């Protein structure tokens, strides 16, 4: 079981790396679209032609980065790309596009979000601090050397702002949506690792204990039962026929119990070849199900059950069900018994 959890954890880490890789490529693709839109917009709005030089260079950097990282996420190229955006694109865009009245601040937020997601350690702090320093330097230049900042008409700035802010909002939405969707998927996988058995897909012991504790508080004692079920002579079967056959037997037993007990009941792999069930219903119905279980010819099963009481702790209830199970084993196995306590 430990090996199964380890493999699931490794697979989860691999999927997280793949997600980061795909997300970075999507960022490059979208920035390529933004660059092309900016070139077209600059021409339509009457901006000077030389203002497009930075966007053409940026397109070249995007294509080079995409080429060298499309197969795998190369950290050095990723770092170069964001360093170029911070130290080259941001200053030129700020100065050429009208200073703080334009849309550079929006791009700063996108850069900070991306850096926080794609980097860690010294690279993350270096890029974030650099972004803050560069922006403050640009504000100082705008205040003390206003002649450096190019000035455009309010109408031109309005049109440019409408297009660029729309693009930035779409970019932020796509980035956060991808991250949110991935987070929910990963959280679901982690919940499965923590709460479900990797071999059978049933609740594991930890999850079952939590459910028992919660259900004792709210159950109707007259119609709730705790059941333990064990595969008879499992060790001998496992030793003689091999662990693979033993795993198949555990899986088939899990499937059988899942089919016999309804969706209202909770079936768990308690550990090894032992299973536990929280049954909600009449005792006669439970006995019918237990008889059905022990009459299956494929595998011999011993069962023990006890009635749940709100006045008894989960630990004592588990002990009672366990005693009833071993009473079945002492009496010859492949039968059920009820705890008399």
């Amino acid at each position: 079981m430990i090996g199964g959890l380890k493999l699931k954890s490794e697979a989860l880490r691999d999927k997280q790396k793949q997600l980061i890789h795909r997300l970075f490529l999507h960022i490059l693709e979208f920035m390529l679209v933004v660059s092309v839109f900016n070139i077209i917009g600059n021409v339509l709005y009457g901006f000077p032609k030389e203002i497009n030089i930075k966007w053409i260079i940026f397109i070249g950097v995007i294509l080079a980065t995409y080429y060298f990282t499309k197969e795998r996420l190369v950290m050095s190229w990723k770092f170069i790309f964001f360093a170029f955006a911070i130290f080259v694109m941001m200053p030129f865009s700020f100065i050429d596009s009208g200073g703080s009245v334009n849309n550079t601040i929006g791009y700063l937020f996108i850069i900070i979000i991306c850096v926080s997601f794609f980097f860690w350690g010294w690279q993350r702090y270096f890029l974030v601090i650099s972004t803050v320093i560069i922006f403050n330097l640009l504000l100082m230049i705008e205040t003390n050397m206003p002649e450096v900042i190019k000035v455009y008409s309010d109408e031109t700035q309005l049109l440019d702002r409408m297009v660029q802010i729309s693009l930035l909002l779409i970019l932020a939405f796509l980035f956060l949506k991808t991250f949110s969707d991935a987070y929910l998927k990963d959280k679901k996988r982690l919940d499965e690792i923590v709460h479900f058995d990797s071999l059978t897909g049933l609740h594991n012991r930890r999850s079952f204990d939590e459910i028992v504790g919660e259900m004792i508080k709210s159950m109707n004692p007259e119609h709730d039962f705790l059941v333990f079920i064990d595969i008879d002579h499992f060790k001998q079967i496992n030793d003689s026929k091999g662990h693979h056959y033993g795993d198949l037997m555990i899986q088939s037993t899990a499937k059988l119990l899942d089919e016999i007990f309804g969706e209202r009941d909770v079936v768990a792999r308690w550990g090894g070849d032992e299973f536990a069930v929280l049954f909600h219903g009449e005792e006669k119905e439970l006995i019918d199900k237990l008889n059905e279980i022990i009459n299956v010819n494929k595998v011999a099963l011993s069962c023990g059950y006890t009635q749940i009481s709100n006045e008894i702790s989960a630990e004592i209830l588990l002990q009672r069900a366990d005693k009833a199970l071993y009473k079945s084993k002492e009496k010859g196995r492949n039968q059920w018994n009820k705890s008399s306590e």
Side-chain angles (χ1 to χ4, degrees):
M1 173 145 178
I2 294 174
L5 292 178
K6 185 177 179 182
L7 288 174
K8 276 196 171 186
S9 298
E10 290 175 355
L12 184 58
R13 284 194 294 270
D14 288 339
K15 287 186 177 181
Q16 288 173 333
K17 290 178 181 178
Q18 293 170 14
L19 165 68
I20 293 174
H21 185 202
R22 290 196 308 270
L23 190 54
F24 181 67
L25 293 180
H26 289 330
I27 291 293
L28 292 178
E29 291 164 357
F30 198 86
M31 289 310 299
L32 182 63
V33 173
V34 169
S35 300
V36 172
F37 264 94
N38 274 298
I39 291 174
I40 296 172
N42 290 338
V43 173
L44 294 177
Y45 304 151
F47 281 99
K49 293 181 180 178
E50 59 268 20
I51 203 173
N52 286 326
I53 294 176
K54 68 175 183 294
W55 290 112
I56 294 172
I57 295 173
F58 193 44
I59 288 174
V61 174
I62 292 171
L63 293 175
T65 306
Y66 193 93
Y67 175 79
F68 286 106
T69 60
K70 67 178 180 179
E71 296 300 330
R72 60 191 181 92
L73 193 56
V74 182
M75 290 297 295
S76 57
W77 268 100
K78 186 172 60 168
F79 183 80
I80 290 170
F81 174 79
F82 281 101
F84 179 84
I86 294 168
F87 291 103
V88 180
M89 282 299 296
M90 189 166 69
F92 275 102
S93 296
F94 187 90
I95 292 170
D96 284 345
S97 302
S100 57
V101 299
N102 207 272
N103 313 297
T104 309
I105 296 177
Y107 286 103
L108 291 180
F109 281 108
I110 296 297
I111 289 174
I112 293 296
I113 292 172
C114 290
V115 166
S116 300
F117 186 80
F118 291 126
F119 296 94
W120 49 91
W122 72 267
Q123 291 181 324
R124 174 188 288 173
Y125 292 107
F126 175 80
L127 293 173
V128 170
I129 293 170
S130 297
T131 302
V132 175
I133 292 173
I134 292 295
F135 179 66
N136 280 283
L137 287 174
L138 290 171
L139 287 178
M140 291 175 64
I141 291 172
E142 183 180 33
T143 302
N144 298 302
M145 303 171 61
E147 68 277 5
V148 175
I149 307 298
K150 294 189 178 178
V151 180
Y152 301 94
S153 67
D154 291 342
E155 183 182 356
T156 301
Q157 289 282 19
L158 174 62
L159 292 172
D160 186 54
R161 196 174 296 125
M162 288 173 64
V163 173
Q164 294 219 38
I165 290 178
S166 298
L167 289 173
L168 285 169
L169 290 173
I170 294 171
L171 177 60
F173 165 75
L174 292 175
F175 185 93
L176 294 175
K177 178 183 180 299
T178 303
F179 176 78
S180 175
D181 291 347
Y183 169 78
L184 292 175
K185 287 180 182 178
D186 287 348
K187 184 178 182 300
K188 183 179 178 182
R189 293 191 192 101
L190 286 172
D191 287 341
E192 289 174 355
I193 291 173
V194 172
H195 294 104
F196 293 88
D197 175 58
S198 59
L199 181 63
T200 63
L202 299 176
H203 289 276
N204 59 23
R205 182 169 180 167
R206 174 180 176 176
S207 175
F208 189 79
D209 285 348
E210 292 175 357
I211 295 171
V212 169
E214 290 297 321
M215 293 182 75
I216 284 175
K217 300 174 184 177
S218 58
M219 278 185 161
N220 179 353
E222 295 181 3
H223 300 291
D224 298 305
F225 300 87
L226 176 62
V227 187
F228 271 1
I229 301 166
D230 191 84
I231 301 175
D232 291 331
H233 304 295
F234 179 77
K235 187 177 185 304
Q236 295 91 317
I237 296 170
N238 202 38
D239 291 343
S240 61
K241 295 191 177 182
H243 293 289
H244 177 67
Y245 184 85
D247 287 346
L248 291 177
M249 180 174 284
I250 289 173
Q251 287 175 327
S252 64
T253 303
K255 184 179 179 182
L256 170 71
L257 297 178
D258 200 36
E259 290 173 350
I260 289 177
F261 290 98
E263 292 183 1
R264 67 185 180 186
D265 308 315
V266 179
V267 183
R269 184 185 177 194
W270 179 251
D273 61 317
E274 197 168 34
F275 299 85
V277 180
L278 278 175
F279 177 80
H280 178 72
E282 300 289 342
E283 186 170 7
K284 181 180 181 304
E285 183 185 358
L286 172 59
I287 292 172
D288 290 340
K289 289 182 181 293
L290 295 178
N291 285 330
E292 184 180 355
I293 289 170
I294 63 175
N295 287 327
V296 174
N297 295 323
K298 292 181 180 180
V299 59
L301 299 170
S302 293
C303 310
Y305 75 92
T306 188
Q307 188 166 359
I308 292 177
S309 169
N310 300 97
E311 299 174 356
I312 302 175
S313 68
E315 184 179 358
I316 293 176
L317 286 171
L318 293 168
Q319 289 175 357
R320 288 185 178 182
D322 199 43
K323 271 187 184 179
L325 168 66
Y326 277 92
K327 188 186 293 184
S328 296
K329 288 184 175 293
E330 290 172 358
K331 288 185 175 182
R333 302 177 188 268
N334 199 34
Q335 58 181 279
W336 59 265
N337 272 277
K338 178 182 178 180
S339 171
S340 58
E341 293 180 285

